[in-house]
Amino acid sequence: MSRLYLITGFLGAGKTTFLKQFMKQFSSERMHIIVNEFGKEGIDGELLSELGIALDEINNGSIFCSCRLDKFENVLQQVLQEKPDVIIVEASGLSDPTNVKKILNQREKFPGLEYMGCVCLLDARQFPKVYETAVVVKKQIQVSDLLLLNKKDLVKTEEIEQIQKILKAHRPDLPLHMTSYGMMEERWLQEMQKPNLETEEQLLQTADVTLRKYLLHIQEEIKLETLSHFLNMLLVDTFRIKGFVYLEDTWYLVNAVGNMLYIEPCSEKKETQKNILVILSGYGLPTKKAIRKAMEWYPEVVLKIE
């Protein structure tokens, strides 16, 4: 039997960093990873491929929605033919996984599959904002079997206590642990109760209409410092900014969550599309207004907005 673990959590919770730690729990076993990236380019998948573990990417939508469900099922069937010991699925931060049990309960489609449960990662800094403004966060928590509050080192004790109260009210039955840098202890995994696919009530999946998405096409001729100043004006009014840009003869990975912005050099990409940043926000956040204001200050940065 191949054991399948689902990793979920909202944008910027640290799923990819956690995944690299999580895999250490199965270092002596054959693993296969399926990465679901919401944007057009599989950024997380590209970064994980360096680990040398069998990897599949599914982009342009959530694997649990009709737009990508067929692709996910086909990939999973192919992976099962290889009979790995462990399959790890990293869902997009925008994924609504409420029908995961229904999907994996198709015994005729997925013979030899054993669903072990869902680990939900939460960003301690961003949690209060995203819990109130992004419906999908509540759905990710609802289907989880283990909650990990990540980045605990970046918030105060009283903030953690408030988040704990919210989570305990939402899912008092779940194990909840604090962590930083996506660290995972073996005993936490043992606390997970294996889900019952046969008897658990299936939840209805609906679109999260509270989410907002913008694509910024960035000028190639600008300086890196100018882009950094521009993006810093947007941070407080967004959930996530992510993408690759080519500036000053160098490729950079742009990755921002909350008020933290990282722009780091990376190996050259081969895709034809470049300099497109995905900005994600929620209902009630003045993201579009913030973008317009930043463009007034730095009119040379953006070619167009979609």
Side-chain angles (χ1 to χ4, degrees), residues 99-113:
N99 61 354
V100 61
K101 297 180 179 70
K102 182 178 179 180
I103 293 170
L104 298 180
N105 195 32
Q106 302 174 85
R107 305 294 186 185
E108 68 285 354
K109 280 191 175 182
F110 309 121
L113 179 67

Side-chain angles (χ1 to χ4, degrees), residues 160-264:
I160 291 179
E161 290 174 350
Q162 185 59 37
I163 294 172
Q164 287 176 315
K165 289 179 181 178
I166 296 172
L167 293 173
K168 287 299 183 182
H170 192 142
R171 288 295 305 275
D173 57 312
L174 287 189
L176 169 62
H177 294 287
M178 312 296 124
T179 188
S180 296
Y181 306 103
M183 298 301 292
M184 174 75 180
E185 295 187 23
E186 185 178 353
R187 62 183 179 87
W188 298 349
L189 191 61
Q190 296 170 350
E191 291 179 12
M192 289 177 61
Q193 294 184 357
K194 182 182 170 185
N196 189 331
L197 300 185
E198 300 291 347
T199 61
E200 289 198 6
E201 179 183 359
Q202 302 305 325
L203 303 172
L204 193 62
Q205 184 182 51
T206 57
D208 188 349
V209 296
T210 65
L211 292 171
R212 302 287 187 270
K213 177 180 177 181
Y214 305 92
L215 296 180
L216 296 191
H217 294 252
I218 304 300
Q219 291 272 16
E220 187 174 327
E221 292 77 17
I222 64 171
K223 294 184 178 296
L224 181 64
E225 183 181 11
T226 302
L227 177 64
S228 178
H229 290 322
F230 173 84
L231 293 178
N232 270 295
M233 293 186 68
L234 313 179
L235 296 185
V236 70
D237 296 315
T238 65
F239 287 150
R240 187 74 181 267
I241 302 174
K242 200 170 186 182
F244 289 102
V245 295
Y246 185 72
L247 303 175
E248 301 176 306
D249 299 321
T250 304
W251 278 104
Y252 295 94
L253 170 63
V254 176
N255 194 357
V257 181
N259 61 352
M260 304 295 292
L261 172 66
Y262 303 95
I263 304 179
E264 301 172 335

Side-chain angles (χ1 to χ4, degrees), residues 33-296:
I33 299 172
I34 301 175
V35 175
N36 175 212
E37 177 67 28
F38 192 86
K40 292 181 180 179
E41 297 180 277
I43 298 171
D44 289 343
E46 179 169 317
L47 297 177
L48 285 170
S49 63
E50 66 190 44
L51 299 175
I53 294 173
L55 173 72
D56 281 291
E57 291 183 82
I58 302 174
N59 304 322
N60 288 329
S62 166
I63 54 177
F64 303 116
C65 293
S66 57
C67 61
R68 276 291 174 265
L69 181 55
D70 288 347
K71 174 68 172 177
F72 174 58
E73 291 182 341
N74 290 338
V75 168
L76 185 53
Q77 286 173 331
Q78 294 171 9
V79 171
L80 285 170
Q81 291 177 7
E82 303 169 6
K83 298 181 179 180
D85 300 308
V86 176
I87 301 170
I88 303 174
V89 178
E90 181 197 349
S92 160
L94 297 177
S95 285
D96 172 2
T98 50
N99 61 354
V100 61
K101 297 180 179 70
K102 182 178 179 180
I103 293 170
L104 298 180
N105 195 32
Q106 302 174 85
R107 305 294 186 185
E108 68 285 354
K109 280 191 175 182
F110 309 121
L113 179 67
E114 184 178 13
Y115 180 51
M116 304 302 293
C118 174
V119 180
C120 182
L121 231 66
L122 304 165
D123 183 346
R125 295 174 308 166
Q126 291 282 92
F127 181 78
K129 178 170 74 173
V130 300
Y131 188 79
E132 293 300 325
T133 57
V135 175
V136 73
V137 172
K138 296 180 177 68
K139 296 180 178 180
Q140 291 169 350
I141 294 171
Q142 189 62 36
V143 303
S144 296
D145 304 286
L146 173 65
L147 296 176
L148 297 181
L149 187 61
N150 196 25
K151 307 180 186 180
K152 67 172 184 178
D153 55 307
L154 301 178
V155 296
K156 298 177 181 178
T157 302
E158 52 267 30
E159 293 177 282
I160 291 179
E161 290 174 350
Q162 185 59 37
I163 294 172
Q164 287 176 315
K165 289 179 181 178
I166 296 172
L167 293 173
K168 287 299 183 182
H170 192 142
R171 288 295 305 275
D173 57 312
L174 287 189
L176 169 62
H177 294 287
M178 312 296 124
T179 188
S180 296
Y181 306 103
M183 298 301 292
M184 174 75 180
E185 295 187 23
E186 185 178 353
R187 62 183 179 87
W188 298 349
L189 191 61
Q190 296 170 350
E191 291 179 12
M192 289 177 61
Q193 294 184 357
K194 182 182 170 185
N196 189 331
L197 300 185
E198 300 291 347
T199 61
E200 289 198 6
E201 179 183 359
Q202 302 305 325
L203 303 172
L204 193 62
Q205 184 182 51
T206 57
D208 188 349
V209 296
T210 65
L211 292 171
R212 302 287 187 270
K213 177 180 177 181
Y214 305 92
L215 296 180
L216 296 191
H217 294 252
I218 304 300
Q219 291 272 16
E220 187 174 327
E221 292 77 17
I222 64 171
K223 294 184 178 296
L224 181 64
E225 183 181 11
T226 302
L227 177 64
S228 178
H229 290 322
F230 173 84
L231 293 178
N232 270 295
M233 293 186 68
L234 313 179
L235 296 185
V236 70
D237 296 315
T238 65
F239 287 150
R240 187 74 181 267
I241 302 174
K242 200 170 186 182
F244 289 102
V245 295
Y246 185 72
L247 303 175
E248 301 176 306
D249 299 321
T250 304
W251 278 104
Y252 295 94
L253 170 63
V254 176
N255 194 357
V257 181
N259 61 352
M260 304 295 292
L261 172 66
Y262 303 95
I263 304 179
E264 301 172 335
C266 60
S267 58
E268 182 175 345
K269 289 176 55 59
K270 303 184 185 307
E271 288 84 351
T272 55
Q273 284 190 326
K274 61 182 179 181
N275 285 32
I276 298 178
L277 297 181
V278 179
I279 297 183
L280 296 155
S281 67
Y283 179 77
L285 292 178
T287 306
K288 192 169 184 178
K289 182 178 179 181
I291 294 173
R292 296 294 184 188
K293 184 67 175 178
M295 289 175 65
E296 292 178 8

